[in-house]
Amino acid sequence: MRIEIERTKKGHPAIWENGGGYTNTGVSQIIANADGSPKKPIYIRQRGSLANDDHALFIIAPGDLVILADHHRGDFRVFVTKIVAIGDEEAEAETLYLFSMGEWNEEPPEYLLPAIEAAQEKATCYHCRRPHYISD
């Protein structure tokens, strides 16, 4: 799976936490450390059109996790992916765990559950305007 990245002014690879919910649907992208803990963002957007848009920017490294969630009327699909390589404009990620049609392909470890729950919460947060999974 390929994930679009941005470069900071200093050239570091970065990904946005983004997404939010609509009336019956929603999507989200959450960034976490390799151990499932929240990362510290380098920037949090406070102005402009924030609803269901980019909210927090994180510098990434191989091993970091990107959790993608989407739902239609509460029927979720969740992809837990690990960044394996970083290119100029894209990061290559491998899918570790997939939740679809009410089942996991393989049960994720306990330490990933807070990040997965944050991704689902963000995908259902109506017109979301803030990050959901960050460290202080």
Side-chain angles (χ1 to χ4, degrees):
M1 172 183 281
R2 297 193 186 286
I3 299 171
E4 186 177 322
I5 65 170
E6 294 191 15
R7 293 283 175 173
T8 65
K9 289 180 182 177
K10 293 184 178 180
H12 300 295
I15 295 179
W16 287 96
E17 176 183 315
N18 59 33
Y22 299 98
T23 303
N24 296 313
T25 61
V27 297
S28 68
Q29 177 173 277
I30 298 289
I31 318 305
N33 288 308
D35 63 359
S37 64
K39 289 181 75 76
K40 185 173 179 141
I42 58 168
Y43 178 71
I44 297 176
R45 286 189 59 218
Q46 305 283 335
R47 299 176 186 267
S49 176
L50 295 174
N52 299 353
D53 206 348
D54 296 335
H55 299 124
L57 186 64
F58 299 89
I59 292 178
I60 56 163
D64 284 347
L65 303 173
V66 178
I67 296 131
L68 306 160
D70 67 69
H71 81 95
H72 180 268
R73 296 184 185 266
D75 184 19
F76 276 94
R77 283 188 318 158
V78 178
F79 299 85
V80 179
T81 64
K82 179 173 85 169
I83 296 172
V84 292
I86 299 172
D88 291 336
E89 298 176 1
E90 294 179 329
E92 182 67 35
E94 74 173 309
T95 301
L96 301 176
Y97 306 99
L98 168 64
F99 182 82
S100 181
M101 297 174 63
E103 295 181 352
W104 286 100
N105 66 336
E106 179 183 339
E107 199 67 31
E110 193 77 25
Y111 67 87
L112 290 180
L113 296 183
I116 293 167
E117 289 167 6
Q120 291 177 319
E121 180 183 300
K122 187 171 186 75
T124 56
C125 179
Y126 186 70
H127 288 184
C128 187
R129 292 173 174 80
R130 63 180 180 81
H132 279 245
Y133 200 65
I134 61 173
S135 71
D136 295 333

